């Protein structure tokens, strides 16, 4: 049984009061709160298991190394990867994407080649590719977004051709909540010989990510959006591609042997992990995955679907609220605008009622421009949100709109 009140008790911050009102935290698309077990894991590591990894011969270093490598295997298992050497720890989605965008195009692209993204990407899945395009004389192309917030799959055949070398696409839009149908994208991309990177930053907390089922070449996500701390993230890549890619950053850990004449690189995944890694963030991420599986991921998913459906129904009944993104498959997010009222004003007034939402372009300006709006108000859900919080949010919105209109 999924007992949301019991789960809430695991998250100390949820009992915060904001301006004397109970916090209603609906900004989970930006970052999630952390359960006690994750916080305890960090504490315990610093209290009992802290020593720099992979280097020392001493007890603490060996313990820390062992825990870190077990965490890597845990992460691999969570996303269905068979080979934990395919798990590269990074600082987050942004670094994971930059790692690929800084190394792969240099290796496989010639001037005039193309990189394909979608019209609903987060800036971190646009700008690294633009930089690569500038550096190497490549062309950035874009899969259009339809009015309902779904991708225009009919454009795929026109956009993908022999020049397309990389396709970068999000699994779930952080603005619209659209769950993309990755299958036709991955299949068509592979048909023309392009590599596919899937941004799972939004998807990771709300759906089973299985690298074999998705069948892409790279997957990126951040720990902080899946109940783990800031500063740890993951890049999963196929071994045969990671093997041929040059290193991203240089430094300690990533080398095999260094001389002033020539340096050789470490084996996977260490080749891509220059410097002291976040070997405590990795343990906390593994703990977050344990927590999710102890509760039952399917239970969480069902609860969140219920919340979203409930919220969509309620918000649709408010006069003048226009949802941005009405795709048939959605996850975790409601975005909306109200004609004649600026999203920022709605957000700041909701905050005074203790309700945390996000407003603005959500790091996806091209998508906001596509809808010719100044931004949206976004409510985004996590496992610990309740139907009564949705009611509070809807009542708050009603009140705010009465004042603002
Ligand atoms: C949050 C987010 C990112 C960026 O994640 P960081 O943790 O800031 O690196 C990228 N893509 C999507 C879809 C996101 O929601």
């Amino acid at each position: 049984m999924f007992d949301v009140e019991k789960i809430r008790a695991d998250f100390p911050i949820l009992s915060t009061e904001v301006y004397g009102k109970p916090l209603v935290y609906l900004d989970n698309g930006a970052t999630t709160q952390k359960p006690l077990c994750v916080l305890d894991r960090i504490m315990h590591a610093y209290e009992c298991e802290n020593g720099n990894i992979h280097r020392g011969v001493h007890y603490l270093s060996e313990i820390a190394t062992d825990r870190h490598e077990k965490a890597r295997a845990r992460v691999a298992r969570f996303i269905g990867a068979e080979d934990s050497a395919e798990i590269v720890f990074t600082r987050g989605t942004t670094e994971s994407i930059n790692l690929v965008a800084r190394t792969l195009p240099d290796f496989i692209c010639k001037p005039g080649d193309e990189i394909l993204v979608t019209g609903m990407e987060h800036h971190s899945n646009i700008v690294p590719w633009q930089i690569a395009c500038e550096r190497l004389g490549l062309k950035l192309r874009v899969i259009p977004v339809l009015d309902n917030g779904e991708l225009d799959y009919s454009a795929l055949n026109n956009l993908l051709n022999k020049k397309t070398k990389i396709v970068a696409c999000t699994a779930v839009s952080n603005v619209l909540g659209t769950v993309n149908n990755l299958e036709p994208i991955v299949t068509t991309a592979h048909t023309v010989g392009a590599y596919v990177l899937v941004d799972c930053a939004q998807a990771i907390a709300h759906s089973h990510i299985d690298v074999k089922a998705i069948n892409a070449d790279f997957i990126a996500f951040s720990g902080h959006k899946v109940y783990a701390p800031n500063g740890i993230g993951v890049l999963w890549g196929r071994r045969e591609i990671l093997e041929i890619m040059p290193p991203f950053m240089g430094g300690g850990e990533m080398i095999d042997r260094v001389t002033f004449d020539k340096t050789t690189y470490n084996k996977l995944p260490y080749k891509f992990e220059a410097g002291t890694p976040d070997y405590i963030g990795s343990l906390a991420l593994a703990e977050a995955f344990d927590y999710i599986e102890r509760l039952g991921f399917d239970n969480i998913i069902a609860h969140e679907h219920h919340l979203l459906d409930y919220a969509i129904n309620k918000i649709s009944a408010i006069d003048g609220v226009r949802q941005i993104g009405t795709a048939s498959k959605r996850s975790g997010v409601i975005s909306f605008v109200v004609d004649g009222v600026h999203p920022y004003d709605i957000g700041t007034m909701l905050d005074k009622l203790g309700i945390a939402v996000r407003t603005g372009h959500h790091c996806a300006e091209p998508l906001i421009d596509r809808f010719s709006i100044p931004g949206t108000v976004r409510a985004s859900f996590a496992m610990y949100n309740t139907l009564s919080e949705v009611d509070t949010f809807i009542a708050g919105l009603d009140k705010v709109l009465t004042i603002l209109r």
Side-chain angles (χ1 to χ4, degrees):
M1 235 328 267
F2 190 79
D3 182 350
V4 69
E5 288 307 325
K6 192 154 160 277
I7 287 165
R8 290 179 70 79
D10 291 338
F11 291 81
I13 204 169
L14 296 180
S15 46
T16 304
E17 290 208 335
V18 181
Y19 315 112
K21 306 203 169 53
L23 168 70
V24 174
Y25 185 76
L26 299 178
D27 194 18
N28 297 284
T31 200
T32 55
Q33 304 301 347
K34 323 304 173 197
L36 268 174
C37 63
V38 168
L39 302 176
D40 286 347
R41 188 69 195 89
I42 298 168
M43 239 349 224
H44 179 76
Y46 280 118
E47 281 176 350
C48 309
E49 300 168 333
N50 185 37
N52 204 336
I53 60 167
H54 294 143
R55 296 173 198 186
V57 291
H58 61 82
Y59 178 81
L60 284 178
S61 168
E62 279 179 9
I63 293 270
T65 306
D66 174 69
R67 302 292 187 269
H68 180 65
E69 290 309 323
K70 283 196 174 118
R72 192 191 303 279
R74 179 69 186 91
V75 170
R77 188 151 56 81
F78 192 78
I79 61 170
E82 265 158 28
D83 181 356
S84 48
E86 293 180 332
I87 304 292
V88 177
F89 283 122
T90 63
R91 284 190 299 131
T93 310
T94 302
E95 186 175 294
S96 297
I97 296 170
N98 274 277
L99 189 162
V100 179
R102 292 290 306 192
T103 56
L104 186 67
D106 302 66
F107 200 67
I108 61 169
C109 298
K110 53 180 189 317
D113 280 347
E114 297 173 1
I115 292 176
L116 182 61
V117 297
T118 85
M120 63 168 78
E121 298 309 311
H122 188 283
H123 294 161
S124 71
N125 205 22
I126 299 173
V127 183
W129 304 114
Q130 279 178 325
I131 294 173
C133 286
E134 275 172 28
R135 188 170 71 242
L136 301 168
L138 313 175
K139 188 168 170 214
L140 191 72
R141 302 189 73 185
V142 185
I143 304 174
V145 176
L146 301 171
D147 288 340
N148 69 355
E150 291 179 7
L151 289 175
D152 182 2
Y153 298 98
S154 71
L156 273 179
N157 280 333
N158 269 334
L159 287 167
L160 277 153
N161 60 72
K162 285 272 172 265
K163 286 187 187 162
T164 317
K165 297 297 180 230
I166 298 168
V167 180
C169 171
T170 193
V172 171
S173 161
N174 63 310
V175 180
L176 312 167
T178 308
V179 177
N180 287 326
N181 184 6
L182 297 171
E183 199 274 329
I185 299 174
V186 174
T187 308
T188 322
H190 284 168
T191 310
V192 299
Y195 293 109
V196 183
L197 178 143
V198 180
D199 173 352
C200 291
Q202 281 300 317
I204 188 76
H206 309 294
S207 59
H208 294 281
I209 297 298
D210 183 301
V211 297
K212 287 196 292 297
I214 294 176
N215 196 31
D217 303 287
F218 302 96
I219 276 174
F221 62 88
S222 303
H224 73 96
K225 289 189 181 173
V226 60
Y227 312 107
N230 291 323
I232 186 79
V234 170
L235 174 71
W236 169 85
R238 276 184 206 283
R239 178 183 270 277
E240 50 291 10
I241 307 164
L242 293 177
E243 292 281 9
I244 58 168
M245 275 159 55
F248 172 42
M249 293 190 284
E253 280 290 319
M254 54 75 70
I255 49 85
D256 172 35
R257 168 111 179 88
V258 178
T259 69
F260 283 116
D261 292 328
K262 182 169 175 53
T263 289
T264 54
Y265 305 126
N266 205 338
K267 62 183 198 302
L268 291 176
Y270 313 111
K271 180 171 90 175
F272 294 109
E273 294 181 352
T276 300
D278 184 1
Y279 57 82
I280 289 183
S282 61
L283 315 188
L285 178 59
E287 183 64 39
F289 287 161
D290 283 346
Y291 180 70
I292 287 172
E293 290 191 350
R294 276 202 300 280
L295 297 174
F297 205 0
D298 287 331
N299 299 333
I300 294 171
I301 293 169
H303 172 70
E304 289 179 349
H305 270 261
H306 186 46
L307 277 176
L308 185 66
D309 286 346
Y310 185 76
I312 289 173
N313 265 327
K314 290 255 166 176
I315 214 164
S316 307
I318 304 182
D319 215 31
V321 170
R322 180 158 59 96
Q323 286 182 64
I324 304 298
T326 51
S328 58
K329 277 190 79 184
R330 289 161 71 179
S331 163
V333 172
I334 290 188
S335 257
F336 61 92
V337 293
V338 182
D339 290 325
V341 186
H342 199 280
Y344 181 80
D345 294 335
I346 299 175
T348 43
M349 287 187 71
L350 283 174
D351 175 55
K352 295 292 179 291
L353 302 173
I355 303 162
V357 295
R358 175 154 292 223
T359 67
H361 57 58
H362 316 292
C363 299
E365 275 192 75
L367 179 64
I368 296 299
D369 293 345
R370 150 74 181 80
F371 284 96
S372 308
I373 48 178
T376 75
V377 182
R378 180 186 75 178
S380 51
F381 303 101
M383 60 158 92
Y384 39 68
N385 289 124
T386 65
L387 294 176
S388 106
E389 283 183 311
V390 174
D391 289 338
T392 308
F393 161 60
I394 296 292
L397 181 60
D398 243 336
K399 188 167 163 192
V400 163
L401 291 181
T402 321
I403 298 167
L404 287 174
R405 283 196 289 208

